[in-house]
Short mmCIF file of all heavy atoms in Angstrom, two decimals:
data_model
loop_
_atom_site.label_atom_id
_atom_site.label_comp_id
_atom_site.label_asym_id
_atom_site.label_seq_id
_atom_site.Cartn_x
_atom_site.Cartn_y
_atom_site.Cartn_z
N MET A 1 38.30 21.29 6.62
CA MET A 1 37.38 20.52 5.81
C MET A 1 38.17 19.53 4.97
O MET A 1 39.13 19.92 4.31
CB MET A 1 36.59 21.43 4.89
CG MET A 1 35.70 22.43 5.55
SD MET A 1 34.87 23.45 4.33
CE MET A 1 33.21 23.01 4.69
N PRO A 2 37.76 18.29 4.94
CA PRO A 2 38.45 17.31 4.11
C PRO A 2 38.13 17.50 2.63
O PRO A 2 37.14 18.13 2.27
CB PRO A 2 37.90 15.98 4.63
CG PRO A 2 36.60 16.32 5.23
CD PRO A 2 36.72 17.73 5.76
N GLY A 3 38.99 16.97 1.79
CA GLY A 3 38.75 17.06 0.35
C GLY A 3 39.44 18.26 -0.26
O GLY A 3 40.37 18.81 0.30
N LYS A 4 38.97 18.67 -1.41
CA LYS A 4 39.58 19.80 -2.12
C LYS A 4 39.19 21.11 -1.45
O LYS A 4 38.03 21.29 -1.08
CB LYS A 4 39.14 19.82 -3.57
CG LYS A 4 39.64 18.64 -4.37
CD LYS A 4 39.22 18.74 -5.81
CE LYS A 4 39.73 17.56 -6.61
NZ LYS A 4 39.36 17.67 -8.01
N PRO A 5 40.15 22.05 -1.34
CA PRO A 5 39.82 23.34 -0.75
C PRO A 5 38.92 24.16 -1.68
O PRO A 5 39.03 24.06 -2.90
CB PRO A 5 41.16 24.02 -0.56
CG PRO A 5 42.07 23.36 -1.53
CD PRO A 5 41.55 21.96 -1.70
N MET A 6 38.03 24.93 -1.11
CA MET A 6 37.16 25.80 -1.90
C MET A 6 37.96 27.03 -2.31
O MET A 6 38.76 27.54 -1.54
CB MET A 6 35.95 26.23 -1.08
CG MET A 6 35.03 25.07 -0.75
SD MET A 6 33.67 25.54 0.33
CE MET A 6 32.83 26.76 -0.65
N LYS A 7 37.75 27.51 -3.49
CA LYS A 7 38.42 28.72 -3.97
C LYS A 7 37.40 29.85 -4.00
O LYS A 7 36.27 29.66 -4.40
CB LYS A 7 39.01 28.50 -5.35
CG LYS A 7 40.12 27.46 -5.35
CD LYS A 7 40.70 27.31 -6.72
CE LYS A 7 41.81 26.28 -6.71
NZ LYS A 7 42.46 26.17 -8.00
N GLY A 8 37.82 31.02 -3.57
CA GLY A 8 36.96 32.19 -3.65
C GLY A 8 36.07 32.40 -2.45
O GLY A 8 35.27 33.31 -2.44
N TYR A 9 36.22 31.57 -1.43
CA TYR A 9 35.43 31.72 -0.22
C TYR A 9 36.34 31.72 0.99
O TYR A 9 37.39 31.09 0.97
CB TYR A 9 34.41 30.58 -0.07
CG TYR A 9 33.36 30.58 -1.14
CD1 TYR A 9 33.54 29.87 -2.31
CD2 TYR A 9 32.18 31.29 -0.97
CE1 TYR A 9 32.58 29.87 -3.30
CE2 TYR A 9 31.21 31.29 -1.94
CZ TYR A 9 31.41 30.58 -3.11
OH TYR A 9 30.46 30.58 -4.07
N ILE A 10 35.93 32.40 2.02
CA ILE A 10 36.67 32.37 3.28
C ILE A 10 35.70 32.14 4.42
O ILE A 10 34.50 32.38 4.29
CB ILE A 10 37.46 33.67 3.53
CG1 ILE A 10 36.49 34.87 3.58
CG2 ILE A 10 38.52 33.89 2.48
CD1 ILE A 10 37.11 36.13 4.09
N ALA A 11 36.22 31.67 5.51
CA ALA A 11 35.40 31.50 6.71
C ALA A 11 36.07 32.30 7.83
O ALA A 11 37.28 32.18 8.04
CB ALA A 11 35.31 30.04 7.09
N LEU A 12 35.31 33.12 8.50
CA LEU A 12 35.82 33.94 9.59
C LEU A 12 35.26 33.44 10.92
O LEU A 12 34.16 32.90 10.96
CB LEU A 12 35.42 35.40 9.39
CG LEU A 12 35.94 36.07 8.11
CD1 LEU A 12 35.35 37.46 7.96
CD2 LEU A 12 37.45 36.13 8.12
N PRO A 13 36.01 33.65 11.99
CA PRO A 13 35.50 33.25 13.30
C PRO A 13 34.18 33.96 13.63
O PRO A 13 33.99 35.13 13.29
CB PRO A 13 36.60 33.68 14.26
CG PRO A 13 37.83 33.80 13.43
CD PRO A 13 37.37 34.20 12.07
N GLU A 14 33.29 33.26 14.25
CA GLU A 14 31.96 33.79 14.61
C GLU A 14 32.09 35.10 15.40
O GLU A 14 31.31 36.03 15.20
CB GLU A 14 31.23 32.73 15.44
CG GLU A 14 29.81 33.11 15.81
CD GLU A 14 28.84 32.92 14.66
OE1 GLU A 14 29.10 32.08 13.79
OE2 GLU A 14 27.81 33.62 14.64
N GLN A 15 33.08 35.19 16.29
CA GLN A 15 33.24 36.36 17.13
C GLN A 15 33.54 37.63 16.33
O GLN A 15 33.25 38.74 16.79
CB GLN A 15 34.39 36.15 18.15
CG GLN A 15 34.21 34.99 19.07
CD GLN A 15 34.71 33.68 18.46
OE1 GLN A 15 34.97 33.56 17.27
NE2 GLN A 15 34.80 32.66 19.31
N TRP A 16 34.10 37.49 15.14
CA TRP A 16 34.46 38.66 14.34
C TRP A 16 33.24 39.38 13.77
O TRP A 16 33.34 40.51 13.33
CB TRP A 16 35.38 38.27 13.20
CG TRP A 16 36.78 37.90 13.65
CD1 TRP A 16 37.18 37.61 14.92
CD2 TRP A 16 37.92 37.78 12.83
NE1 TRP A 16 38.50 37.30 14.93
CE2 TRP A 16 38.99 37.40 13.66
CE3 TRP A 16 38.16 37.94 11.47
CZ2 TRP A 16 40.28 37.20 13.17
CZ3 TRP A 16 39.43 37.73 10.99
CH2 TRP A 16 40.47 37.37 11.82
N ARG A 17 32.09 38.76 13.77
CA ARG A 17 30.87 39.41 13.24
C ARG A 17 30.55 40.69 13.98
O ARG A 17 29.97 41.61 13.43
CB ARG A 17 29.68 38.46 13.31
CG ARG A 17 29.76 37.33 12.32
CD ARG A 17 28.49 36.53 12.35
NE ARG A 17 28.60 35.40 11.44
CZ ARG A 17 27.57 34.73 11.00
NH1 ARG A 17 26.36 35.03 11.40
NH2 ARG A 17 27.76 33.71 10.17
N GLN A 18 30.95 40.72 15.23
CA GLN A 18 30.68 41.91 16.05
C GLN A 18 31.81 42.94 15.95
O GLN A 18 31.74 43.97 16.60
CB GLN A 18 30.50 41.48 17.52
CG GLN A 18 29.43 40.45 17.73
CD GLN A 18 28.06 40.89 17.21
OE1 GLN A 18 27.69 42.05 17.37
NE2 GLN A 18 27.34 39.98 16.58
N ASP A 19 32.83 42.66 15.16
CA ASP A 19 33.99 43.55 15.07
C ASP A 19 34.40 43.77 13.61
O ASP A 19 35.37 43.20 13.13
CB ASP A 19 35.15 42.94 15.87
CG ASP A 19 36.29 43.91 16.08
OD1 ASP A 19 36.28 45.02 15.50
OD2 ASP A 19 37.21 43.55 16.84
N PRO A 20 33.67 44.63 12.89
CA PRO A 20 33.99 44.84 11.47
C PRO A 20 35.39 45.41 11.25
O PRO A 20 35.99 45.17 10.20
CB PRO A 20 32.91 45.81 10.99
CG PRO A 20 32.21 46.30 12.19
CD PRO A 20 32.51 45.39 13.32
N ASP A 21 35.94 46.12 12.22
CA ASP A 21 37.30 46.64 12.07
C ASP A 21 38.31 45.50 12.01
O ASP A 21 39.30 45.56 11.28
CB ASP A 21 37.66 47.59 13.22
CG ASP A 21 36.87 48.89 13.15
OD1 ASP A 21 36.46 49.29 12.03
OD2 ASP A 21 36.68 49.51 14.20
N LYS A 22 38.08 44.45 12.77
CA LYS A 22 38.95 43.27 12.75
C LYS A 22 38.89 42.61 11.38
O LYS A 22 39.92 42.20 10.83
CB LYS A 22 38.51 42.28 13.83
CG LYS A 22 39.35 41.06 13.92
CD LYS A 22 40.25 41.17 15.11
CE LYS A 22 40.99 39.88 15.32
NZ LYS A 22 42.18 40.09 16.09
N ILE A 23 37.70 42.51 10.82
CA ILE A 23 37.54 41.91 9.48
C ILE A 23 38.27 42.77 8.45
O ILE A 23 38.99 42.25 7.60
CB ILE A 23 36.05 41.79 9.12
CG1 ILE A 23 35.36 40.81 10.08
CG2 ILE A 23 35.88 41.33 7.67
CD1 ILE A 23 33.86 40.77 9.94
N ARG A 24 38.09 44.07 8.51
CA ARG A 24 38.75 45.00 7.59
C ARG A 24 40.27 44.85 7.67
O ARG A 24 40.96 44.81 6.64
CB ARG A 24 38.35 46.44 7.91
CG ARG A 24 37.95 47.22 6.70
CD ARG A 24 37.44 48.61 7.07
NE ARG A 24 35.98 48.60 7.07
CZ ARG A 24 35.22 48.70 8.14
NH1 ARG A 24 35.73 48.84 9.33
NH2 ARG A 24 33.91 48.66 8.04
N GLU A 25 40.80 44.76 8.89
CA GLU A 25 42.24 44.61 9.09
C GLU A 25 42.74 43.30 8.47
O GLU A 25 43.76 43.27 7.78
CB GLU A 25 42.56 44.62 10.59
CG GLU A 25 44.01 44.39 10.93
CD GLU A 25 44.23 44.29 12.43
OE1 GLU A 25 43.37 44.71 13.22
OE2 GLU A 25 45.29 43.76 12.81
N TRP A 26 42.01 42.22 8.70
CA TRP A 26 42.39 40.92 8.17
C TRP A 26 42.38 40.93 6.64
O TRP A 26 43.30 40.41 6.00
CB TRP A 26 41.42 39.86 8.71
CG TRP A 26 41.80 38.46 8.37
CD1 TRP A 26 42.68 37.66 9.03
CD2 TRP A 26 41.31 37.70 7.27
NE1 TRP A 26 42.75 36.44 8.41
CE2 TRP A 26 41.92 36.44 7.32
CE3 TRP A 26 40.41 37.95 6.23
CZ2 TRP A 26 41.66 35.45 6.38
CZ3 TRP A 26 40.16 36.96 5.30
CH2 TRP A 26 40.78 35.73 5.39
N ILE A 27 41.36 41.53 6.05
CA ILE A 27 41.26 41.59 4.59
C ILE A 27 42.39 42.43 4.01
O ILE A 27 43.02 42.05 3.02
CB ILE A 27 39.88 42.12 4.15
CG1 ILE A 27 38.81 41.08 4.46
CG2 ILE A 27 39.88 42.46 2.65
CD1 ILE A 27 37.40 41.56 4.25
N THR A 28 42.70 43.55 4.65
CA THR A 28 43.78 44.42 4.19
C THR A 28 45.12 43.68 4.22
O THR A 28 45.88 43.72 3.25
CB THR A 28 43.86 45.69 5.06
OG1 THR A 28 42.63 46.39 4.96
CG2 THR A 28 44.99 46.60 4.60
N GLN A 29 45.39 42.97 5.30
CA GLN A 29 46.63 42.20 5.41
C GLN A 29 46.68 41.09 4.36
O GLN A 29 47.72 40.83 3.75
CB GLN A 29 46.77 41.60 6.80
CG GLN A 29 47.08 42.63 7.86
CD GLN A 29 47.16 42.01 9.26
OE1 GLN A 29 47.00 40.80 9.43
NE2 GLN A 29 47.41 42.84 10.24
N SER A 30 45.56 40.44 4.15
CA SER A 30 45.49 39.35 3.17
C SER A 30 45.75 39.85 1.75
O SER A 30 46.52 39.25 1.00
CB SER A 30 44.13 38.66 3.22
OG SER A 30 43.93 38.09 4.49
N LEU A 31 45.13 40.96 1.39
CA LEU A 31 45.33 41.53 0.06
C LEU A 31 46.77 41.98 -0.14
O LEU A 31 47.35 41.83 -1.22
CB LEU A 31 44.36 42.68 -0.19
CG LEU A 31 42.90 42.28 -0.32
CD1 LEU A 31 42.02 43.52 -0.42
CD2 LEU A 31 42.68 41.38 -1.52
N SER A 32 47.38 42.52 0.91
CA SER A 32 48.78 42.94 0.84
C SER A 32 49.68 41.73 0.61
O SER A 32 50.59 41.76 -0.23
CB SER A 32 49.15 43.65 2.13
OG SER A 32 50.51 43.97 2.14
N TRP A 33 49.41 40.64 1.33
CA TRP A 33 50.21 39.42 1.18
C TRP A 33 50.06 38.84 -0.22
O TRP A 33 51.05 38.49 -0.87
CB TRP A 33 49.78 38.39 2.23
CG TRP A 33 50.54 37.11 2.13
CD1 TRP A 33 51.82 36.87 2.52
CD2 TRP A 33 50.05 35.88 1.57
NE1 TRP A 33 52.16 35.56 2.26
CE2 TRP A 33 51.09 34.93 1.67
CE3 TRP A 33 48.84 35.50 1.02
CZ2 TRP A 33 50.95 33.63 1.23
CZ3 TRP A 33 48.72 34.20 0.58
CH2 TRP A 33 49.76 33.28 0.68
N VAL A 34 48.84 38.76 -0.71
CA VAL A 34 48.59 38.20 -2.04
C VAL A 34 49.23 39.08 -3.11
O VAL A 34 49.80 38.58 -4.07
CB VAL A 34 47.07 38.03 -2.29
CG1 VAL A 34 46.79 37.72 -3.74
CG2 VAL A 34 46.51 36.95 -1.40
N GLY A 35 49.18 40.39 -2.92
CA GLY A 35 49.78 41.31 -3.89
C GLY A 35 51.28 41.18 -3.97
O GLY A 35 51.89 41.53 -4.98
N ALA A 36 51.93 40.67 -2.92
CA ALA A 36 53.38 40.51 -2.90
C ALA A 36 53.83 39.17 -3.49
O ALA A 36 55.02 38.97 -3.69
CB ALA A 36 53.89 40.63 -1.46
N LEU A 37 52.90 38.27 -3.78
CA LEU A 37 53.25 36.97 -4.34
C LEU A 37 53.73 37.14 -5.79
O LEU A 37 53.28 38.05 -6.49
CB LEU A 37 52.05 36.03 -4.33
CG LEU A 37 51.58 35.55 -2.97
CD1 LEU A 37 50.27 34.77 -3.12
CD2 LEU A 37 52.64 34.69 -2.31
N PRO A 38 54.63 36.26 -6.25
CA PRO A 38 55.07 36.35 -7.64
C PRO A 38 53.94 35.98 -8.60
O PRO A 38 53.01 35.28 -8.21
CB PRO A 38 56.21 35.33 -7.72
CG PRO A 38 55.99 34.40 -6.58
CD PRO A 38 55.28 35.18 -5.52
N GLU A 39 54.07 36.46 -9.82
CA GLU A 39 53.05 36.16 -10.83
C GLU A 39 52.98 34.66 -11.08
O GLU A 39 54.00 33.98 -11.12
CB GLU A 39 53.40 36.88 -12.14
CG GLU A 39 52.42 36.66 -13.26
CD GLU A 39 52.82 37.40 -14.52
OE1 GLU A 39 53.66 38.30 -14.46
OE2 GLU A 39 52.28 37.05 -15.58
N LYS A 40 51.77 34.15 -11.21
CA LYS A 40 51.59 32.72 -11.49
C LYS A 40 51.82 32.48 -12.98
O LYS A 40 51.19 33.10 -13.83
CB LYS A 40 50.18 32.28 -11.10
CG LYS A 40 49.94 30.82 -11.28
CD LYS A 40 48.57 30.41 -10.78
CE LYS A 40 48.35 28.93 -10.98
NZ LYS A 40 47.02 28.53 -10.53
N LEU A 41 52.72 31.57 -13.27
CA LEU A 41 53.03 31.24 -14.66
C LEU A 41 52.12 30.13 -15.14
O LEU A 41 51.75 29.25 -14.36
CB LEU A 41 54.49 30.81 -14.78
CG LEU A 41 55.52 31.85 -14.35
CD1 LEU A 41 56.92 31.25 -14.40
CD2 LEU A 41 55.44 33.09 -15.20
N PRO A 42 51.75 30.16 -16.42
CA PRO A 42 50.90 29.08 -16.94
C PRO A 42 51.64 27.75 -16.90
O PRO A 42 52.87 27.69 -17.05
CB PRO A 42 50.59 29.50 -18.37
CG PRO A 42 51.56 30.57 -18.71
CD PRO A 42 52.08 31.14 -17.42
N ALA A 43 50.91 26.68 -16.69
CA ALA A 43 51.50 25.35 -16.65
C ALA A 43 52.00 24.96 -18.03
O ALA A 43 51.41 25.33 -19.05
CB ALA A 43 50.47 24.34 -16.16
N LYS A 44 53.11 24.23 -18.04
CA LYS A 44 53.63 23.76 -19.32
C LYS A 44 52.76 22.63 -19.84
O LYS A 44 52.36 21.75 -19.09
CB LYS A 44 55.06 23.26 -19.15
CG LYS A 44 56.03 24.35 -18.80
CD LYS A 44 57.44 23.81 -18.66
CE LYS A 44 58.40 24.92 -18.30
NZ LYS A 44 59.76 24.42 -18.11
N LYS A 45 52.46 22.67 -21.12
CA LYS A 45 51.64 21.63 -21.73
C LYS A 45 52.52 20.43 -22.05
O LYS A 45 53.65 20.56 -22.48
CB LYS A 45 50.98 22.14 -23.00
CG LYS A 45 49.96 23.22 -22.74
CD LYS A 45 49.28 23.64 -24.01
CE LYS A 45 48.24 24.70 -23.70
NZ LYS A 45 47.55 25.15 -24.89
N LYS A 46 51.97 19.25 -21.81
CA LYS A 46 52.68 18.02 -22.12
C LYS A 46 52.52 17.70 -23.61
O LYS A 46 51.41 17.71 -24.12
CB LYS A 46 52.16 16.85 -21.29
CG LYS A 46 52.40 17.02 -19.82
CD LYS A 46 51.87 15.83 -19.04
CE LYS A 46 52.10 16.02 -17.56
NZ LYS A 46 51.58 14.89 -16.79
N GLY A 47 53.63 17.45 -24.24
CA GLY A 47 53.59 17.11 -25.66
C GLY A 47 53.40 15.63 -25.87
O GLY A 47 53.60 14.83 -24.96
N LYS A 48 52.97 15.26 -27.06
CA LYS A 48 52.78 13.85 -27.39
C LYS A 48 54.00 13.42 -28.23
O LYS A 48 54.09 13.73 -29.40
CB LYS A 48 51.52 13.63 -28.18
CG LYS A 48 50.26 13.87 -27.38
CD LYS A 48 49.04 13.53 -28.19
CE LYS A 48 47.78 13.73 -27.36
NZ LYS A 48 46.58 13.39 -28.09
N GLY A 49 54.90 12.72 -27.59
CA GLY A 49 56.08 12.23 -28.30
C GLY A 49 56.58 10.97 -27.65
O GLY A 49 56.11 10.54 -26.62
N ALA A 50 57.60 10.40 -28.24
CA ALA A 50 58.15 9.15 -27.74
C ALA A 50 58.73 9.32 -26.34
O ALA A 50 58.64 8.44 -25.52
CB ALA A 50 59.22 8.63 -28.71
N ALA A 51 59.31 10.49 -26.08
CA ALA A 51 59.95 10.71 -24.78
C ALA A 51 58.91 10.86 -23.65
O ALA A 51 59.21 10.64 -22.50
CB ALA A 51 60.82 11.97 -24.83
N ASN A 52 57.69 11.24 -24.01
CA ASN A 52 56.65 11.46 -23.02
C ASN A 52 55.77 10.24 -22.82
O ASN A 52 54.86 10.25 -22.02
CB ASN A 52 55.78 12.66 -23.40
CG ASN A 52 56.56 13.95 -23.28
OD1 ASN A 52 57.48 14.05 -22.47
ND2 ASN A 52 56.23 14.93 -24.09
N GLY A 53 55.99 9.22 -23.56
CA GLY A 53 55.23 7.98 -23.38
C GLY A 53 53.92 8.04 -24.00
O GLY A 53 52.92 7.56 -23.88
#
């Protein structure tokens, strides 16, 4: 899909509707991968000064 990616939604292949075990396996692998990612740090705020323009 063009544009900004949607957050919080997923799209699964139509064929998987008939195979809930495949969906369960995919979700389990996805959660495992996401759980292994490093913690997201907050973005640094830009200050208002001469050096920042």
Side-chain angles (χ1 to χ4, degrees):
M1 297 179 118
K4 294 182 180 182
M6 294 175 61
K7 295 182 180 184
Y9 294 91
I10 60 168
L12 300 174
E14 184 78 27
Q15 300 86 347
W16 288 16
R17 289 186 183 198
Q18 304 303 320
D19 191 353
D21 291 333
K22 181 104 173 159
I23 296 171
R24 227 175 261 111
E25 177 185 343
W26 187 84
I27 290 172
T28 300
Q29 288 178 1
S30 298
L31 291 174
S32 176
W33 179 76
V34 169
L37 291 173
E39 180 180 344
K40 184 175 179 181
L41 300 175
K44 294 181 180 178
K45 293 184 179 180
K46 295 181 181 179
K48 291 185 178 181
N52 291 331

